[in-house]
Every structure is written in C-alpha cells, then in structure tokens.
C-alpha cells in the first residue's frame, strides 16, 4: 500500500521523531549574489528557488555580512562559485577595537532588513514549509570583522580583548535570533566555522567558541528545527554533536565522520550525503541518484535529510538539482533504482 503523502512540515517532523515516512526529506540551499543585497531581492530569489524545486525546508542564505554591515564592514561580489562575497573593509584593526563594538538593534539597519526578508519568505511559502534563517556563530562573525589570520593572532595574543568583543557579538546575535523567531521561522541554521583542527585546538575552541555558541543557541530553543552546520574539514564532530540542535550538517563526503560513523556517534538527525562539487556541479543526474541511494542506504533512510554538506554552488546544473529532488521519491518507491533521467 502506498504511504500517505505528507506535507513538508509533517515529513520533517516525522523525520525528527523517528516516525514513519513516505520518503526521506530533501533540501538544498544556495547563495543568491547581487539579489542578496536587498531584502526584497533575497526574498524573491529564495521563494523562486523553492517554487522551482519544492524542497522540504527553505534555508534563507544572506551574505555573511548581513549581521556586520551595521558595524561598518564592506564587501563586494567578485564571482565566487559558492556565491559568497569578499570583504573589502574590516572594522577591527587593533586589539583595542574589540571593545568599541556596540550591541546592535535587530529592528534597524541591515538586521531589520533581514527580518523583512524572512517575513516575506514565510508568508510566501506558508506554514507547511519550514523556513530557517542562517546565523553565523560569534567566532565566524569575529573572523569577518578582523580577517581570518588576524583573528587567530588576537585570540592567542590578546584573548581578553577578543572575549570582550565576543560578548557584544553574542548579545547582538541573541537579540536578532529572538526577533527572527517572531517572523514565523521554524529554526535557525547555525554555522560554526572554527570547530576545525586546521584552525584551533579543542581547548581553544572550548574557551572561545563553545560558550558563545551555547549562549546563542539558547535564544533559539523556542524553535523546533535548528540545524547545526560544522563547516570545513577535520571538524570537531564529537565536541559539537551534543549541541542543542535537532539536525547535524557537515561536509560528510569530504571529511570524517561519514554517515555510517556519525550514526554510531549520535542519535540526532543527519543532513548530507551529496558531494557539492564532483557530484552536484561536475557530475550527471545518474551520479546524483547513485550518491543519494548510497546515503539513504547508509542511514536506512531514517532520521536523515538528503542534502549537501554546505551551500550548493551557484554553478550546479538544473538537471542535477532536479535529480537530487526527484531521487528521494524514486528511491522511496523503488529502492533498487540507481539511475533516472529527470
């Protein structure tokens, strides 16, 4: 007997609870360069993407500078395939500058504009499609305020100055999360970039990252669909796996742990399975189907959302995106399917 077709929200809720599914959920998200410079532009691009592919959740992906421009940073679009922008002006130039930051009003400036974007997206897709707002961790925001290498220098040489700045970033971020929660979003997509052995030791991340992360995530606990994104390679998965988030997302095709190992480490819902470059950009639809089938097999299709480990590159062909979207339905009805042309 054919399973009852669930709405997007019902499917995600069933996935979180471990209840029966008609098919595994699937979601992809991307940046929208140039469009992301106005709330109306980002909302329209996000809505159109969802209307085209009908994913089980919508992640709103503003430029990383959206939460920093009210402090005076500047950035520019220079063609990165991920759709990200390059920073052209920082506002932290010396250790003492960290103490000059002020707590931002979430209803004004660029933060207020992002709330307008969320309101538009939530109203357009309706309550049966969960919407998530991207939130960059305080350490990730600090990196963009000062520059990556300089942050590591300040963190090790001027730890008290960085701590003072992080306190301001935490408070501003908490206020924005609380305001965003009132727009109708289902959760936040919380991006952690420094829980990475290439950048910090576990002791360093515990000292500067964990405390600020938990403070921000506390502000999101009234939301039901928070996703933790662990960015980069050699991530500190075991250190972060118990963060208060419903779903864990990382570059599982590029760095440990793989999906099978992760299932043994945590009972959280896992999101991933598709390689962003070699499969979604350079591959063909049959490769997308094969990789989706492999991921669903590895997780038994339970407590799993098919997706990529990070943003979908803006160069991903339409046929491959459609293959990812259609794969979950094809594999749910016929698990032996390996190839199918959209």
């Amino acid at each position: 007997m054919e399973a009852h077709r669930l709405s997007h929200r019902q499917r995600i809720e069933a996935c979180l609870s471990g209840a029966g599914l008609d098919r595994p959920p699937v979601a992809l998200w991307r940046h929208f360069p140039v469009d992301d410079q106005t709330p109306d532009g980002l909302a329209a691009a996000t809505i159109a993407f969802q209307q085209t592919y009908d994913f089980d959740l919508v992640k709103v992906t503003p430029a990383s500078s959206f939460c920093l421009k009210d402090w005076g940073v500047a950035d520019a679009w220079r063609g990165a395939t991920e759709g990200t922008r390059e920073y052209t002006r920082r506002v932290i130039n010396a250790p003492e500058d960290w103490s000059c930051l002020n707590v931002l009003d979430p209803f004004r400036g660029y933060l207020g504009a992002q709330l307008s974007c969320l309101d538009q997206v939530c109203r357009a897709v309706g309550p049966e499609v969960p919407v998530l707002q991207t939130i960059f961790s305080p350490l990730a925001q600090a990196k963009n305020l000062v520059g990556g290498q300089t942050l590591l220098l300040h963190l090790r040489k001027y730890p008290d100055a960085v701590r003072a700045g992080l306190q301001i970033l935490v408070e501003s971020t908490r206020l924005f999360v609380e305001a965003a929660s009132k727009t109708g979003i289902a959760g936040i997509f919380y991006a952690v970039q420094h829980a990475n052995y290439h950048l910090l030791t576990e002791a360093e991340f515990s000292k500067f990252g964990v405390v600020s992360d938990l403070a921000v995530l506390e502000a999101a606990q009234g939301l039901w669909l928070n996703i933790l994104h662990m960015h980069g390679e050699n991530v500190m998965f075991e250190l972060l796996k118990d963060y208060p988030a419903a779903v864990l997302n990382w570059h599982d095709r590029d760095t440990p742990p793989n999906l099978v190992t992760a299932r043994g480490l945590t009972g959280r819902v896992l999101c991933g399975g598709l390689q962003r470059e070699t499969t979604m950009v350079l591959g063909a639809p049959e490769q997308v189907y094969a990789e989706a089938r492999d991921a669903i097999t590895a997780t038994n299709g339970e407590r799993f959302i098919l997706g990529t480990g990070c943003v979908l590159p803006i160069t991903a062909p339409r046929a491959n995106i459609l293959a990812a979207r259609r794969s979950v339905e094809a594999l749910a009805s016929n698990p032996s399917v390996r190839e199918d042309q959209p």
Side-chain angles (χ1 to χ4, degrees):
M1 180 180 294
E2 184 178 351
H4 173 66
R5 184 173 180 83
L6 303 174
S7 71
H8 294 309
R9 177 172 180 141
Q10 289 171 333
R11 190 171 295 113
I12 294 289
E13 288 176 335
C15 180
L16 296 184
S17 68
L21 290 168
D22 55 344
R23 63 164 175 78
V26 58
L28 298 174
W29 48 85
R30 53 162 286 182
H31 281 285
F32 296 98
V34 181
D35 296 292
D36 61 14
Q37 293 306 286
T38 66
D40 294 352
L42 179 56
T46 303
I47 293 163
F49 190 67
Q50 175 63 11
Q51 290 173 337
T52 300
Y53 297 108
D54 194 32
F55 290 121
D56 287 303
L57 63 85
V58 172
K59 173 186 175 295
V60 182
T61 309
S64 63
S65 59
F66 90 91
C67 51
L68 307 174
K69 281 192 172 181
D70 291 319
W71 280 310
V73 303
D75 58 355
W77 163 239
R78 290 176 175 166
T81 58
E82 284 195 346
T84 52
R85 297 167 65 85
E86 294 184 22
Y87 283 83
T88 57
R89 183 172 68 239
R90 315 280 186 178
V91 297
I92 304 296
N93 299 298
E96 55 268 24
D97 292 340
W98 290 106
S99 61
C100 296
L101 298 174
N102 59 297
V103 176
L104 298 177
D105 182 342
F107 297 101
R108 303 187 58 161
Y110 289 93
L111 293 180
Q114 187 58 28
L115 294 179
S116 171
C117 172
L118 290 178
D119 182 67
Q120 292 179 59
V121 173
C122 288
R123 284 190 286 106
V125 302
E128 288 305 309
V129 181
V131 175
L132 278 69
Q133 164 65 30
T134 303
I135 297 292
F136 297 93
S137 74
L139 265 182
Q141 294 179 48
K143 175 200 71 175
N144 293 328
L145 287 170
V146 71
Q149 291 303 310
T150 306
L151 173 63
L152 299 182
L153 171 66
H154 282 195
L155 184 145
R156 289 164 179 151
K157 193 172 181 181
Y158 310 104
D160 291 340
V162 174
R163 254 187 230 102
L166 287 174
Q167 288 177 356
I168 300 300
L169 292 171
V170 165
E171 185 58 25
S172 288
T173 308
R174 282 176 56 90
L175 290 173
F176 178 75
V177 169
E178 290 168 358
S181 298
K182 297 180 174 65
T183 64
I185 62 172
I188 64 172
F189 183 93
Y190 189 71
V192 175
Q193 299 179 351
H194 288 81
N196 181 315
Y197 291 105
H198 287 312
L199 299 174
L200 299 175
T201 65
E202 285 190 9
E204 288 173 326
F205 185 77
S206 295
K207 186 183 300 184
F208 292 94
V210 172
V211 173
S212 57
D213 289 340
L214 294 180
V216 172
L217 287 168
E218 181 189 34
Q221 289 313 291
L223 302 169
W224 64 274
L225 183 58
N226 295 320
I227 298 180
L228 172 67
H229 171 64
M230 293 169 267
H231 188 77
E233 297 184 355
N234 293 308
V235 294
M236 301 175 187
F237 188 92
E238 294 198 49
L239 187 63
L240 272 62
K241 64 182 175 63
D242 295 323
Y243 269 23
V247 182
L248 304 180
N249 172 248
W250 73 105
H251 303 246
D252 66 283
R253 289 291 182 182
D254 304 310
T255 191
N258 60 29
L259 291 173
V260 173
T261 302
R263 284 194 81 199
L265 295 173
T266 179
R268 302 290 171 84
V269 170
L270 308 180
C271 176
L274 297 173
Q275 210 289 332
R276 297 186 305 147
E277 293 287 346
T278 57
T279 301
M280 292 304 301
V281 174
L282 302 177
E286 56 266 26
Q287 291 170 265
V288 177
Y289 271 85
E291 201 161 73
R293 183 178 185 277
D294 177 73
I296 291 170
T297 299
T299 58
N300 292 326
E302 298 170 352
R303 298 182 64 76
F304 173 67
I305 300 171
L306 181 68
T308 48
C310 194
V311 290
L312 183 71
I314 63 175
T315 50
R318 178 176 180 272
N320 288 350
I321 302 174
L322 282 173
R325 172 62 184 83
R326 293 172 177 174
S327 67
V328 290
E329 291 172 335
L331 293 168
S333 61
N334 183 4
S336 65
V337 170
R338 289 179 180 274
E339 300 180 8
D340 189 357
Q341 294 296 330

